[in-house]
Amino acid sequence: MPEPARAGATVRRVAVLVVAAMVCVLAGGGIAWAWWRGAGTAAAPTTQISAGTVDVQVANLGNGLVGRGGTVSLPALALPGAVPGSGASEIVTVRNGGSRSATVTATTSRTGTLGTAFTTSASFGAADTGTGCGAGSGGTATIPAGGTVALCVAVAVSAAAPSATQGQSGGVSVALAATIPGTSWNDTGTVTSAAVSAATVAAPTNLTCGLLGIGSVTFNWTAATGATRYTFGYGPGGNTTVQVAAGTTSHQVTATANNATAQVRADRVYPGATWSSAWSNTRRYSITLGLLGTCT
């Protein structure tokens, strides 16, 4: 009867030996198993994190254009009473007030009634000649953060500007646009000039009937300031013209005509163009051969 108990004990001993053998095999194979778990607190960064900035400014105009957008005046750039071939130029110091290198572009335009006879330009690094800008790098420059670049701005009237240019007025506007390369971040600003205008040739005044002769009429007028000559018009419709020297303020007509008209204008001759004034008041006259001329 004790045989079954011995058999059960034998089985248990075999199982224990098998488990022990497996533990030895695993330990002898260099394999170890472990589970770790920990917790801690990370320290906050000591350096502040912030976004970059782009800010185009002008350093010589009271630090104008600081911040986003804006307009500032350049009163030294002015061209009043402009004539063919005249011009003016000034330097604007453009500053990159942003935190990174920026590309700045300067684009000029005319304002008011200034026509195409007025030309304007802006060039970085160009010399200011007083009447224009010398050679420069053009209208675009790369400026490092905190750096400055000189921008020469000019306005001029073409030497061949037509007489219709007279009396045009307005100004020059320079649009500055800064961008950080590789981004869409940008800033803009505008620099405006003082008055730019074209001169006007003064017209002669008070055209009067002078000496009436046999077959002739003499006309007189008041001199016009700045005239380098006069153009006298006479005949039907005043369509026949003759040039009169600047020092002369009268002209005699002897061509026969009935109920014709006479008028005079002042001319100012420049090397590449001639500007003329408006016509004076009109006189009517008649000339008949052998008779005394009439004028009203």
Side-chain angles (χ1 to χ4, degrees):
M1 296 299 293
E3 281 299 325
R6 285 198 299 269
T10 300
V11 172
R12 286 194 293 271
R13 283 196 298 271
V14 171
V16 170
L17 290 174
V18 171
V19 170
M22 291 180 65
V23 170
C24 291
V25 170
L26 292 174
I31 299 176
W33 299 88
W35 286 265
W36 299 91
R37 184 172 66 181
T41 302
T46 58
T47 303
Q48 184 178 6
I49 300 175
S50 62
T53 59
V54 53
D55 187 9
V56 61
Q57 306 171 359
V58 288
N60 61 327
L61 297 176
N63 292 332
L65 304 182
V66 175
R68 302 289 294 169
T71 300
V72 67
S73 175
L74 177 60
L77 182 62
L79 191 60
V83 298
S86 63
S89 56
E90 288 292 335
I91 293 292
V92 175
T93 303
V94 180
R95 172 192 287 141
N96 177 6
S99 62
R100 292 179 55 184
S101 178
T103 299
V104 181
T105 300
T107 305
T108 59
S109 60
R110 300 180 299 271
T111 62
T113 62
L114 300 181
T116 56
F118 282 87
T119 60
T120 180
S121 63
S123 181
F124 286 99
D128 175 14
T129 68
T131 57
C133 297
S137 60
T140 301
T142 299
I143 307 177
T148 60
V149 175
L151 175 67
C152 184
V153 183
V155 58
V157 182
S158 168
S163 187
T165 304
Q166 293 182 72
Q168 294 180 4
S169 63
V172 170
S173 178
V174 183
L176 299 175
T179 59
I180 295 178
T183 75
S184 60
W185 292 9
N186 63 82
D187 182 31
T188 61
T190 303
V191 179
T192 60
S193 73
V196 176
S197 61
T200 300
V201 179
T205 59
N206 197 28
L207 179 65
T208 60
C209 301
L211 181 65
L212 302 177
I214 300 298
S216 69
V217 175
T218 298
F219 297 91
N220 303 314
W221 60 87
T222 302
T225 302
T228 56
R229 73 181 186 199
Y230 296 99
T231 296
F232 185 82
Y234 63 98
N239 294 326
T240 302
T241 60
V242 61
Q243 294 178 356
V244 180
T248 302
T249 56
S250 65
H251 183 70
Q252 184 185 62
V253 177
T254 58
T256 58
N258 181 40
N259 198 28
T261 60
Q263 54 188 351
V264 64
R265 74 185 183 202
D267 298 327
R268 192 164 183 178
V269 180
Y270 300 97
T274 298
W275 285 9
S276 299
S277 73
W279 289 99
S280 69
N281 59 302
T282 300
R283 294 292 179 179
R284 291 194 173 275
Y285 71 94
S286 294
I287 296 177
T288 303
L289 291 176
L291 298 177
L292 190 66
T294 62
C295 180
T296 57

